[in-house]
Amino acid sequence: MKPLLGNWTLALVCGAAALAGLASALSVARASAGEAANAASSTATPMLRRLTEAQYRRTIADIFGTDIKIVGRFEPDLRSNGLLAVGTTAVSVTAGGFEQYEQMARNIAAQVTDGVHRDKLIGCAPGPSDPKGEKCAAQALARIGLRLYRRPVTAPELRWLTTSTLSSAAQLQSFDAGLAATLESMLSSPDFLFRIDERGPGGVVDGYSKATRLSYLLWNTTPDDELLKAAGAGVLDTPQGLAREADRLIASPRFAEGVRAFFTDFLMLDDIDTLSKDVLIFPTFTASVAADAREQTLRTIAYLLVDRNGDYRDLFTSRQIAMNRTLGPLYDIPVEKDGWYIHEFPEGDPRTGLLTQASLLALHAHPGRTSPTLRGKAMREVFLCQQIPTPPANVNFAVVQDVNNPTLRTTRARLQAHLDDEECASCHKLTDPIGLGLEQFDGAGQFRTREHDELIDVSGAFDKKPFANALQLGQLFHDDPRATDCLVQRALSYATGRELDSADMPEIAQLTRIFGDDGHRFKALMRAIALAPSFYALSAEPRSASRIVMQKGKGKRS
Amino acid sequence: MGAIRTALKSRGGPVPAMMMAGGAVLLGAADAPTGGDPSIRAFVISNFFIATSGDAGTCPILADGGIETYFKMLPAAERAKYARADDPHEIEQGKRGPLEAAMNEHFGFRRVAIKGVGGGGRMSEAVLPPDLAPGAVPTPEQALEIGRLNGFPPGRGRLAFSNLTVAYSSCTNPEDFPTLAKGFRTYEGPVAAGIDLDGKSGRHDFKGLDGGKSVDNQLWRAVGCVKAFRESSEPKIAKRLFISARAPTLIEVRGIDDPRNDPDVTVNVYAAADPVVRDGKGDALARASFHLDPDRTLRATTRGRIVDGVLTTDPIDLRINYKEQIIDAPREFRGARIRAELKPDGSVEGSVYGYYTLASYWSSIEQMTQNGANLTGVSCPGVKQAIDRLADGYYDKRTRRYTAISSAYNFVGVRAFIVGDREVAAR
């Protein structure tokens, strides 16, 4: 290990104990920096949230430029309570993962200080008035540190970073090499890899932490200079100032990235990275098709909710969908344009709404066949925030899996046979009827009307409301208030990085009202969350033992 | 939409492309429904291959390629240098290179590089005529001049190997090497694929694979015993092979009211500007979209009918792309008829029966180069003599020779979409 990395890194590489060690190390570091004044007045735990891969990449691109290459393997994220965002508070960095972060940091630091980038990104060099480059190092590290740490580098930190730079430069006989070594340590430090809350007055986070929360919520990246400046000036501590900055971020084209990040998490689209299909059964579904299917869903959402500022519920019924030539064969349509465009299916087309998009259809299916159960489970858990129990370990799936059964030719028939088991039926009656509504889309999301030459019946009932096909099923989701309630809860949980509890109910009710009053515009919901006091609360821990689980009908405590 | 199609059909002739938007008059390409316009079925052809005579049409002795003929011409002692240890009548695979070098030397095959390198003959950098601009493709006359400047026999020298070389060999000038046709064999069996193209019963006609009579397929008679052609056309192999994949052919059937039975449809044959893409299994990707090649000579339109899912067309003159790494020899068929089974899974299998023009067929053989002919066991002089002798279509009164030869080709393809403005050059 390099000596430059210091005590914080030592805490990190302790593997399983990393999180606890990290918190302890941070506490020591802050105290030594004379910044623990507020700590004594509060018992709340500062929240640590590890940057996701997307956040890391966008943050580096924003600070150093999009041409800085990031090569390496990221630590896997943890989905908790339906969201990776909640999991980011529960993950640390393993020893193996830290090696990867360190390797990436080394590569990034080398690029930042290379001949192509250094003049633009460092902006100074040792000279006659600064022969060792001390001033230059301090100036560059303070500027870069502000962006990397999302707060000003403290005076003791800056002294230490500058001294380290000069020491390394002397050893390596190169100022730039010394600077690269320091940058590497900064990029490997928890201050960069984790979003760390600083206490502010009144049980909420301080201005810089507010800026960080705001920026990662709305842009999924590090705060820009303007937001950091506002944080430093205390602007974010006033309702008017906070609203002004939130509005600025929402009005920016970068807001679409924040929306994409939320829906990637909400719809579990990250799972597409590891999705594969049986190529003999679904030769059209290649890795590039899978990646584009995810992109399609995100582009469609960004188009409808951001560009068009549309109603969230319309995602379930919209005939508009982002399309490209890679996806044309899967969707069985001619595609003339080379890039992405918005395709509008004719009225009555079976491809209508989010439920009929290839990403979700393929994700919630088996490698070689559909799964009405998985699809129905996903529809309830993702869109309605309901929980479907996992099946017992001793279930016999033989009937369902026998796709070549000569008498049970359709999935519906095979599932019906499976449901003859009463123990199974209690859960399957929740999932299968709505999952069967999507049976005209095979395991790769391709439209079909027959299975083994038999016409596929896609009629059913969704909580006693009948539907004839996927189109009508989408309309039922559109009209179901549980879908918008669920979105509000997930969005708040995503924003705060924690599981919601009963204490959040008033906040949820308030957000739900604002969301509804504003025509279920997603922008309005995000704005309301960005301005909500609970968004800036310190604690990462649930404040009550009773968490919220949506039941049939409305949200209930359990 | 049905009314529009009926109106268009009633005109009788080919449907104008602008109006042929047909469904597209109402449904723009950007608003296509799932499955596309139901009145249109289009296919991209992944392989187009000569139809074999099947198990019933075997060759007692297969035709020798040029290199095999040369091998057999050698004195026994010389031949032994290149023969297999266990069979002195067969060439040892590892010794084909030295044998080819000896053959080139013996016959005086030559090739000179204009740019890059190419196959077949002794290789050297070309002395180029002063009027040939750097990088330009020589005209046939300039190719002759290059031959003269580089010591080729008088009046000899042709462009070869994708215009990268000027060559002299049994493929550029088969008439100079009749001895290499000695081992060539034509097909003399009674059965061949095809149909009665001329409406007459002649003594050279075959019995069809399905028992039909008066089948005209003299191309199979000419080359049906060439091993390479027989092998690559075996149905199991042919379905997996791609031909002209970077410039495939599209077949489009428009005005379909019932995909199983429709007495009047329009059939368009186009060249695509986009390559065939492979799916995860390595087969042609179905339902991909293709723009048209702007070359209008590669487009043709006729009328057809669908009976029990089988499409047949009226006669049509076709020019179909045949582009491979070193071959660019569009196939020209005259009086061709298409018969194709439109399969329920969206794929197509069919045949083109017609008179393959000698010029375009020979171009495809000639462009193989001597090296290609040796690799595939083809005798260029043997093929040339056979097709000239057996040609049976489109008699030219001026030369008193037939200009085309009856043939049967099969094709396989998958569902495709045709996109873009047909009136404007594609990208």
Side-chain angles (χ1 to χ4, degrees), chain A residues 442-460:
Chain A
D442 68 18
Q446 300 170 112
F447 182 70
R448 59 184 184 168
T449 55
R450 290 175 180 273
E451 184 179 7
H452 294 124
D453 288 333
E454 202 158 303
L455 270 177
I456 297 171
D457 175 8
V458 285
S459 64

Side-chain angles (χ1 to χ4, degrees), chain A residues 54-55 57-60 62-63 147 150 211-212 214-224 254:
Chain A
Q55 289 168 345
R57 290 183 180 282
R58 283 182 53 77
T59 298
I60 292 296
D62 283 348
I63 297 173
R147 298 297 305 279
R150 304 167 281 269
T212 299
L214 203 53
S215 185
Y216 279 97
L217 171 67
L218 299 177
W219 284 359
N220 201 38
T221 187
T222 194
D224 65 356
R254 306 174 85 187

Side-chain angles (χ1 to χ4, degrees), chain B residues 41 91 146 164 268 370:
Chain B
R41 282 281 180 91
I91 302 169
I146 291 171
L164 294 173
N268 299 310
Q370 188 66 50

Side-chain angles (χ1 to χ4, degrees), chain A residues 261-323:
Chain A
F262 168 72
F263 278 96
T264 299
D265 197 349
F266 176 55
L267 300 177
M268 305 181 189
L269 294 177
D270 54 295
D271 287 345
I272 284 184
D273 286 338
T274 53
L275 178 67
S276 66
K277 295 289 172 186
D278 186 331
V279 77
L280 294 177
I281 299 171
F282 303 120
T284 307
F285 199 90
T286 58
S288 58
V289 167
D292 279 5
R294 170 172 53 193
E295 181 65 17
Q296 172 182 59
T297 296
L298 294 174
R299 281 178 181 263
T300 303
I301 289 169
Y303 172 74
L304 292 171
L305 300 191
V306 181
D307 299 351
R308 301 283 302 272
N309 195 21
D311 186 325
Y312 164 72
R313 298 171 303 173
D314 291 346
L315 289 182
F316 294 105
T317 54
S318 175
R319 289 182 281 111
Q320 293 182 310
I321 184 170
M323 189 62 67

Side-chain angles (χ1 to χ4, degrees), chain B residues 101-125:
Chain B
M103 180 185 181
N104 293 338
E105 197 65 34
H106 177 84
F107 287 106
F109 295 160
R110 295 289 312 279
R111 60 184 171 129
V112 289
I114 307 167
K115 41 189 178 181
V117 292
R122 202 172 64 222
M123 190 63 161
S124 61
E125 287 296 319

Side-chain angles (χ1 to χ4, degrees), chain B residues 2 34 83 109 124 129 131 165 177 214 251 261 266 325:
Chain B
T34 297
F109 295 160
S124 61
D131 63 337
T165 69
F177 306 98
S214 305
I251 295 177
N261 289 285
T266 300
Q325 192 177 4

Side-chain angles (χ1 to χ4, degrees), chain A residues 380 419 424-434 461 463 552:
Chain A
R380 287 197 179 270
L419 290 184
C424 298
S426 61
C427 287
H428 280 280
K429 69 182 181 186
L430 292 174
T431 57
D432 297 2
I434 53 176
D463 293 346
K552 286 175 69 175

